[in-house]
Every structure is written in structure tokens, then in C-alpha cells.
Amino acid sequence: MLTTPSYSLSDQVYPVILNPRNRDDQEKIVDLKNNPQIQVINQINSQVGDLIKSRHPAKTFSKEELKAEIENFFEENPKESYGNWVYYPWKYALVHLLPEEEFIRVRTLRNNYKITPQEQKELAKKKVGIVGLSVGQSIALAMALERSCGEMRLADFDHLELSNLNRLKAGVTSLGVEKIVIAAREIAEIDPYLKLTLFRDGITEENIDSFFSEQGELDLIIDECDSLDIKILLRKTAQKYQIPLMMDTSDRGMLDIERFDLEPERPIFHGYLGDINLDTLKNLTNKQKVAIGLKMTGVDTLSPRMKASLLEVGQTISSWPQLASAVFLGGASVAHVARKLLVGEPVDSGRFFVDLDEIIKLDLPEIQEEREVVPVKNGDFLGSIPKNIIPSGYVLNKEELNGLVEFANLAPSGGNIQPWIWVFDQNGVLHLFHDKERSHSMLDYKGTGSLIAFGAALENIRLHCAKSGIEIEIIEHIQDFEEDLIASIRFIVKHNQKIKVHNGELVDGVAIRCTNRKNASKVDLTPEQIQLFHGYALAEDMPMEHISAKSDLEKLSGIIGGMDRMRLFHDQGLKDFINEVRWNDKEARESRDGIDIATLELSGAERAAMGLLKDPRTVRFFRKFLMGYGLTKISHDTIMSSSAMFLLQGKEFTPQEYLKAGKVLQRIWIKANMMEISFQPVTAAMFIFHQTLREKDHGFTKEEETMIKKYKAEFNTLFNREKSNEELFMFRLNFGGEPSMRSYRREVEDTLITIN
């Protein structure tokens, strides 16, 4: 470690600040000026002119007026003794500069008021550590230019190589020079008064505490190093000192923020890496680094070009590719967010993207080819298998594969349609496709119902693989509604013991999870139980509300009953209902899908009334005269016997939000059933609301549309009152006991395609 040194012409890192009012320094200034090898740069008049203008921002000086003001200034402040002389030994240059306070004022003048003077003073007290001076160089320079800290601690042990010159601000004359020296020199030439502390051996287990705390604790740590073990060590130490950490990865503008100052127990890398031993991360090959790095970033976060590049590591390239544009973008992003964090603005933990390819969609053939989603005819799944998925490191055998798919297929789906097809390819990767022929229905508007089922199925896979000791990557592909390819699962490695994952204990409840439509006497949930279920949604940043008061349930029952009528009045809605119900046990066993009428828990009279719906003429009669209110009785009983009704909401109407909702709902559903609490979806109205309000050709009459909008307005007096969220899925919790019947599941061979 180097601290501020004493004056020496051989010092090649720090500038030497000389005070002409100090006798010893004055002698050195004279010696340097008399040295013919030294370039003397004396632009103090120009600087004083800027200082004068900064003190009179409202006045416009003519050249003559400014010249006179400068002369007056030096009458009071003798020029040769004013300010400081700064010697840069690596440039053999001596520069006359303003005193520190005035220099900083003038140099940062153009920051106002994007950075206020008060914020500039606050930032001057901050200490920032930057580890890794390849990507880190651009961050350090951006922060130095803005002067968003008063001290930088830089750490890097590496030297500049020719292959670094595609992204580092340096030239061939600096080849072989330490990267930390290149960065320190450039910062010193921008601002010699900015304090620099250099760790030229990089970060080690021996010096990391000094880096974090010597001469005052850091306020922010920025990780841009390549060593995976040091990345972990930095985060563990940041947790210990409760210091926030940021990292840019130079792909898609991905920025990680870990607020260990606010959340000291926060899992490192947002939990993506899991539990890992530091010793196992030392001395890895580049290919091994890529494998671990993918766990940190997730394959689904990478750009198409980065994915293609990773397939070439160890083949045609030796390491991760990086571009100057991405590195400079990262420098700007980190500097911007770091400044906000350091002045106390709200900055949350998380992973964020500034993806220029997404922001600026260039209509170029090459990019179009990478991003184009090729529509496939349902059933032509093999032609849609993505080509850029890294092969699995562990290949499931037939028994493991069948067991996994069987477990995934235990997921719930609207009408128990089970809208999935699984394809296991030659690279040992399992792909999830949407079988639209099975799911086409009114209540699968834009595939949203199926997406919830897919999210639940992927959650089953996550839980099953963790229990089996199989480490996986789930890569979500779907970008737009109604795409066929949903996700891919890579199997990384199999351990000899189960893997600890978040909510891993739920795996034992997957097999008992079921829909229970029994109506028992209302029993309230405890506050602890309600908080528990809300916690699952909160963990994924999904809003969820519930109601349990009798008056609210009564109001909701009228809304849901009315919407059930609307569904059956709709031509496609009625057809779907008739097709999804299995009217006897024989039908249920043969199809192994749909809703077994026995699971509806109907009384004899209710079952008979339901049978009337098999005749479309009955419903057409109801529809013509807006009758059929008797059809709402089932909904009324369902709602009024609820312990509580819950509405899971999303922040936007996207396929990704529905997929995430499926995972959250599966966790809540499993946990409730493990606690002997019954769960029943009551969500048809949500899909109808979306379709009616988003589509002109929705299939309802004008009168029906008016009624639906009326129900929606009433609904929003109970849930989502501000209408700020998207209403995704509603469900009932109650204490219904053991269900009379459980739904069947399709055989594995009917849902799985294996490519040999």
C-alpha cells in the first residue's frame, strides 16, 4: 500500500504539490523551472479569470474588463506566490494551479445544479474503494471528473497488455505499466487535490481490512475484479463493515447493487450463487470461471452476443469478451448511481439494466435475426429449440428425467388442462413449450392462465432438483404473450446431498397440493398466517391484498357471481366450460385432465343444475334476457365460506409477471396445504376483465360489456383501489378438510419428447 509520499523526482504515481509560500518548496519550484527538461505550464491568469467569473455569475465581462479584474486580483495576491505548483514526474511537467478550495470550486462549477454545492461538499467527505482497474478505470475517471468523492482507494495488481487496449483508456507507450498507475496518473492530472490511496498488490485476505477501514471506513465499494474468490471476499467483508457494494458487468448495462449497509444479512449476489466455499474459487481456469460466473449473472440476463461468445470460451477465445462502449457505459452508470447513493438518495438493492439494444432497436438484418421470434405451428416444437444454450454439465438419466417431468406435471393449471410439452434435447437441456391446442380458451387470454401454470411447474422443478442435489439454471425465454417457447432448464452438476434453496422445504408438499372446493364454516386465519402468505408475494416484489370481513365478502360474492354468469353467456366461455368438465369418473380417468365434477364438491341439486349448462340453449335463453342469477349460488357459497380472499397483483401486464406469479402462487398453495388450509382459485373474472377492457372484439354484447365494467368498478372498491397494479390471480383460503377427489395428471410420455 502507498500513502501520500514525500517529494521525489523518481516518484511515478503521485503528483507533488508545492506551496510557493513555503521556503523549501519555493527552492524546489525554482530548481524545476531551471531544468530544461521540465515543461512549465503557467495558465494561472486564465484560471483566475474563471474564478472571477464564478464569483459574478450574473455579469458578462468584456475581454478588457476581465483583464482589468485579473490585474486587480494579482495586486492583492502576488502571482508567483499565489496558488500551488504541481509537478508531474512522469510527464516532466510543472503546472501552476489555483489553491485547492478555489480549484475545486472552478473545476466543478459546471456540475451545478445537477450536483448542488451542498451535495458537492457532502461528496467531498466520501471514501470510495474500486477493485479492478480494467472496467474500474472508466468508473474511477467518471467519478473523478464529477468529483463525487474526496478519497479513492484503488486496488489492482495487473499490468497493461496489448489485449487490454480494446477497452482501457491508455496507449501503446503504457504497455507493461501497472493498470493502477495508469488510472492514478490520469486522475491526478484531472485533479491533483483528490486523495488517492493505492493497493498495488490488489486485494488479499491479508490487506482487505486495511482497504476497507484504514484512515476511515469506506462509504462505497465497487467491485470490478476478475478473481471470483476476491469477489466473494469483498462481499463478505462489505457485510461485516455494512458497506454498500456495486458492480457493473459490461453486458446489457447490467448493474448489481447490494445494500449491505441497509441489509447486512442480505445474501451475496442476490442469492444467485448459493452457499460456496472461497477455497474452491481459487486458481480456476477460464472455462471454470465462466461456469461460476453464469451462476452469478444467470444465463437469461445475458445478451445474445454474449451467449454466443461464451460458447466459444476455450475454443476460439480465451476469456469473457468486453467492449469499450460497454465499459464506458458501465462507468457512467456506476458513477451516476453511486453519486445518488452517496448523497443519501433512495437506491435499492437489485439487478438493473441499461440495455441499449433494447432501448434503441436498430432495424439491421443481423440484429433482427438474433431477436426475431419465429412463429411455430403448434406441435413443431423441435424446430424451435434455441441454439445458444450452453449444454448441461450433468445429463439426467431416463429415470431422473421421467421423475422430474412427473413432478413438474403436478403443477396446477386452469381447468387442469396441463398446457405443457417438455422437450429433452441432445445437450441434456430440458425445454418447456406451450401446447396451445390444449389451452385455447377464453380464460387463457393471451396465454396468461397457462403462464401461471408454467411458473408453478418451473417452481416444482426448482424444488425437486434441489432435493435431488442437482444444480440447475432456469432460463426464461418468453418475451411476448403467446410465444411457444417458455423456458429452458440446464442441469449444471449433481451433488451427493440436497442443495439448500429458498423455500426448499416446500418440496415435501408438492404431492399433497390440490384444489379444495369444499365449503366449510368460516374460520378466520390468524394474523401470523396472513402475514406468512403475504410474505411469499412480498419476497418477489408482487403486491397482494386480502379481505375477510363479512360485508366485503358479501360484496365480492355478487361481483364474482355476476362475472361467472358473463363467462357462461360468452359463446367461447360456455364451450370451454362444457369441454373442461369431466362429467363422470370414467371421463376423468380416460382423459386424465380437465375438472372432475366430483372435485366441485356439489350437492345433488347443484350438480343437476350444472348439468343444464351442457345444453347451450339453456344458456342462450339466460343470455337473451340477462337471467341466470341462480348460477351465482355456487360462487356465493364459495366466497362466504372463505377465511379470506386474496388477490395477487403484478406491477405490469407482461408474460414475465404472470410467470413469476405462478411461482409465488405455487409456494403459497403448497404452504397452505401443508398447514391443512384449503386453497381454491377464484380467478376467472380477472381474465375476463383483462380481455374485455383490452380488446375491442371481446365477444360480449354492449349490455354485457357495460355490466362487466360495472363489476370491475365495484371490484376496485375492494381491491387495487388506486388501480396502480395489474390484477393477476384471486384465490380463496379456508379450512375445508380433506377434498373428496383429486384431479388426475397426464402420463409423462404424453407430455415429454426426448431427442436421441
Side-chain angles (χ1 to χ4, degrees):
M1 181 186 75
L2 295 180
T3 56
T4 304
S6 59
Y7 168 62
S8 169
L9 286 178
S10 64
D11 195 316
Q12 295 292 295
V13 179
Y14 292 99
V16 182
I17 300 175
L18 301 170
N19 182 352
R21 295 166 300 285
N22 177 283
R23 180 178 296 179
D24 289 341
D25 283 358
Q26 177 60 33
E27 291 178 0
K28 293 170 184 175
I29 293 170
V30 172
D31 288 342
L32 290 167
K33 285 183 176 181
N34 291 332
N35 187 336
Q37 292 183 311
I38 304 299
Q39 178 187 15
V40 178
I41 302 169
N42 190 350
Q43 293 291 319
I44 196 66
N45 281 25
S46 173
Q47 297 171 55
V48 168
D50 285 337
L51 179 63
I52 292 169
K53 287 187 286 186
S54 75
R55 291 173 175 175
H56 305 278
K59 183 174 181 179
T60 301
F61 289 92
S62 67
K63 287 185 178 181
E64 292 73 17
E65 287 173 331
L66 186 60
K67 182 179 179 181
E69 288 290 339
I70 294 172
E71 290 174 353
N72 291 336
F73 180 90
F74 283 125
E75 287 182 4
E76 298 178 9
N77 304 277
K79 184 182 295 187
E80 288 303 313
S81 62
Y82 175 70
N84 293 310
W85 289 81
V86 181
Y87 176 55
Y88 293 94
W90 58 89
K91 280 201 164 182
Y92 291 91
L94 181 68
V95 187
H96 195 180
L97 295 177
L98 295 173
E100 180 174 357
E101 183 177 345
E102 288 79 4
F103 176 91
I104 294 171
R105 176 181 178 178
V106 173
R107 195 179 77 77
T108 61
L109 189 63
R110 295 295 291 271
N111 287 353
N112 293 341
Y113 279 87
K114 286 199 168 184
I115 304 174
T116 68
Q118 180 58 41
E119 287 174 330
Q120 205 77 65
K121 290 180 182 179
E122 186 66 24
L123 289 169
K125 305 173 186 176
K126 302 299 182 181
K127 301 175 177 64
V128 175
I130 302 176
V131 182
L133 272 302
S134 290
V135 176
Q137 182 204 48
S138 66
I139 298 170
L141 293 181
M143 296 188 74
L145 286 166
E146 293 183 356
R147 214 172 206 280
S148 49
C149 63
E151 177 187 351
M152 279 190 197
R153 295 176 195 166
L154 307 180
D156 200 314
F157 61 86
D158 207 2
H159 295 70
L160 183 72
E161 298 175 346
L162 183 58
S163 62
N164 300 140
L165 291 183
N166 76 320
R167 62 193 186 279
L168 263 72
K169 189 176 182 296
V172 293
T173 56
S174 296
L175 289 173
V177 177
E178 296 166 84
K179 293 177 182 177
I180 195 171
V181 170
I182 294 170
R185 286 174 175 175
E186 187 147 18
I187 291 169
E189 290 177 31
I190 294 169
D191 189 337
Y193 298 116
L194 184 62
K195 182 179 179 182
L196 293 176
T197 304
L198 307 185
F199 286 66
R200 294 170 80 163
D201 294 326
I203 293 298
T204 65
E205 294 183 22
E206 291 71 31
N207 71 10
I208 191 166
D209 284 305
S210 295
F211 184 79
F212 270 79
S213 63
E214 193 169 282
Q215 298 183 24
E217 285 189 5
L218 292 174
D219 296 286
L220 173 65
I221 178 73
I222 297 169
D223 167 29
E224 298 299 338
C225 70
D226 293 331
S227 302
L228 297 175
D229 56 324
I230 299 302
K231 285 183 175 295
I232 305 301
L233 182 61
L234 286 171
R235 284 160 176 78
K236 295 290 186 183
T237 310
Q239 285 180 320
K240 180 175 75 172
Y241 286 99
Q242 297 186 24
I243 295 172
L245 183 145
M246 296 172 60
M247 178 183 73
D248 172 78
T249 55
S250 302
D251 184 62
R252 294 185 61 215
M254 189 171 87
L255 173 62
D256 279 303
I257 303 171
E258 297 171 87
R259 294 297 304 265
F260 298 121
D261 54 328
L262 304 179
E263 309 164 86
E265 301 301 320
R266 180 182 179 82
I268 64 173
F269 285 110
H270 317 297
Y272 291 135
L273 195 58
D275 294 328
I276 194 159
N277 189 330
L278 268 178
D279 293 333
T280 65
L281 297 178
K282 297 178 180 178
N283 304 316
L284 296 177
T285 65
N286 282 336
K287 291 193 75 170
Q288 290 171 327
K289 287 180 180 179
V290 168
I292 299 296
L294 284 173
K295 290 182 65 178
M296 295 178 180
T297 63
V299 176
D300 55 332
T301 67
L302 301 178
S303 66
R305 289 178 184 266
M306 179 61 85
K307 291 177 183 178
S309 299
L310 292 182
L311 292 170
E312 293 297 312
V313 172
Q315 303 294 320
T316 61
I317 57 177
S318 60
S319 187
W320 297 79
Q322 291 176 318
L323 293 175
S325 55
V327 169
F328 293 159
L329 175 64
S333 298
V334 173
H336 176 81
V337 180
R339 182 182 70 248
K340 289 181 174 294
L341 185 150
L342 290 170
V343 297
E345 290 191 24
V347 175
D348 294 332
S349 295
R351 177 164 286 173
F352 306 92
F353 297 87
V354 185
D355 189 345
L356 295 181
D357 286 337
E358 288 295 325
I359 297 169
I360 307 170
K361 294 183 181 291
L362 300 177
D363 190 19
L364 297 176
E366 183 180 4
I367 296 177
Q368 186 66 27
E369 180 180 350
E370 290 178 354
R371 296 190 175 277
E372 183 179 5
V373 179
V374 180
V376 296
K377 182 180 179 181
N378 193 36
D380 185 22
F381 304 117
L382 304 188
S384 303
I385 294 175
K387 307 300 183 186
N388 60 346
I389 302 290
I390 298 173
S392 290
Y394 176 77
V395 180
L396 303 182
N397 60 41
K398 183 177 180 180
E399 182 179 355
E400 290 173 324
L401 175 61
N402 287 350
L404 177 61
V405 172
E406 182 179 16
F407 198 81
N409 288 354
L410 293 175
S413 57
N416 192 31
I417 55 176
Q418 304 169 57
W420 38 68
I421 285 290
W422 305 93
V423 179
F424 190 68
D425 69 17
Q426 303 98 320
N427 293 323
V429 179
L430 184 64
H431 307 281
L432 169 59
F433 286 92
H434 185 179
D435 187 347
K436 293 177 181 173
E437 290 184 357
R438 298 190 61 82
S439 68
H440 177 69
S441 75
M442 177 194 182
L443 297 188
D444 198 27
Y445 173 60
K446 288 186 174 292
T448 50
S450 293
L451 283 167
I452 289 174
F454 298 143
L458 292 172
E459 178 67 6
N460 282 0
I461 284 180
R462 185 184 74 88
L463 295 172
H464 183 277
C465 288
K467 184 175 182 179
S468 303
I470 301 174
E471 199 169 323
I472 65 172
E473 286 274 1
I474 297 179
I475 306 159
E476 296 176 5
H477 297 293
I478 186 164
Q479 295 297 315
D480 297 312
F481 288 114
E482 300 181 300
E483 291 180 356
D484 294 85
L485 178 60
I486 307 302
S488 300
I489 300 95
R490 287 181 59 247
F491 304 93
I492 300 172
V493 65
K494 183 173 182 179
H495 301 279
N496 294 326
Q497 58 186 7
K498 67 180 181 180
I499 303 169
K500 292 182 179 180
V501 296
H502 190 53
N503 298 312
E505 73 282 358
L506 298 181
V507 68
D508 296 325
V510 172
I512 66 171
R513 185 216 58 78
C514 71
T515 297
N516 190 340
R517 298 181 177 88
K518 275 188 174 179
N519 297 326
S521 299
K522 176 177 169 58
V523 177
D524 290 334
L525 297 168
T526 66
E528 292 77 14
Q529 290 168 333
I530 290 175
Q531 184 179 7
L532 172 65
F533 296 127
H534 276 282
Y536 287 106
L538 185 62
E540 296 293 339
D541 197 27
M542 299 195 78
M544 191 166 76
E545 298 176 271
H546 77 278
I547 60 172
S548 57
K550 184 177 179 180
S551 59
D552 288 340
L553 295 176
E554 188 77 49
K555 186 174 184 179
L556 180 63
S557 74
I559 298 167
I560 298 304
M563 290 302 295
D564 284 348
R565 286 173 63 240
M566 293 300 103
R567 177 197 177 185
L568 297 176
F569 286 177
H570 193 278
D571 290 337
Q572 184 65 46
L574 176 61
K575 181 180 178 181
D576 296 338
F577 177 80
I578 294 173
N579 289 338
E580 78 181 19
V581 173
R582 303 297 172 254
W583 299 93
N584 55 55
D585 185 64
K586 181 175 182 293
E587 287 184 8
R589 288 181 179 276
E590 288 177 351
S591 68
R592 306 195 71 81
D593 63 4
I595 298 178
D596 186 340
I597 195 169
T599 67
L600 297 180
E601 306 288 352
L602 302 174
S603 66
E606 290 168 341
R607 181 177 291 206
M610 188 70 70
L612 295 175
L613 300 179
K614 294 172 69 176
D615 184 351
R617 292 172 298 181
T618 303
V619 179
R620 282 199 295 268
F621 180 80
F622 287 158
R623 184 178 193 184
K624 181 178 180 179
F625 297 101
L626 291 178
M627 297 169 58
Y629 289 97
L631 301 175
T632 67
K633 182 180 184 301
I634 296 174
S635 299
H636 180 267
D637 293 343
T638 295
I639 304 299
M640 296 310 297
S641 63
S642 301
S643 299
M645 294 293 302
F646 291 77
L647 178 69
L648 182 65
Q649 301 162 55
K651 294 187 175 179
E652 51 188 2
F653 187 73
T654 63
Q656 296 85 357
E657 202 77 340
Y658 273 92
L659 203 60
K660 183 168 67 171
K663 299 172 186 178
V664 171
L665 287 165
Q666 181 72 338
R667 293 167 193 164
I668 295 173
W669 203 325
I670 293 170
K671 185 63 177 179
N673 286 179
M674 292 177 76
M675 298 168 64
E676 298 184 344
I677 298 174
S678 302
F679 184 112
Q680 178 186 349
V682 187
T683 204
M686 305 305 105
F687 299 104
I688 299 174
F689 285 151
H690 282 300
Q691 179 171 338
T692 306
L693 298 177
R694 293 175 183 273
E695 304 290 340
K696 289 184 178 180
D697 187 16
H698 46 59
F700 290 102
T701 67
K702 285 291 184 182
E703 293 82 1
E704 290 163 355
E705 179 182 347
T706 299
M707 292 191 70
I708 290 170
K709 290 181 177 179
K710 173 178 174 290
Y711 288 134
K712 179 66 166 60
E714 292 177 0
F715 184 81
N716 288 131
T717 65
L718 296 171
F719 294 105
N720 193 20
R721 293 176 179 83
E722 300 298 324
K723 300 180 183 178
S724 56
N725 299 315
E726 299 291 344
E727 296 137 8
L728 305 185
F729 197 94
M730 190 163 65
F731 60 92
R732 171 187 81 162
L733 294 182
N734 76 330
F735 294 86
E738 185 67 16
S740 302
M741 180 67 67
R742 295 173 181 267
S743 298
Y744 294 101
R745 285 295 185 275
R746 298 162 65 200
E747 300 294 342
V748 169
E749 55 264 31
D750 294 333
T751 64
L752 173 64
I753 300 172
T754 302
I755 304 175
N756 297 318

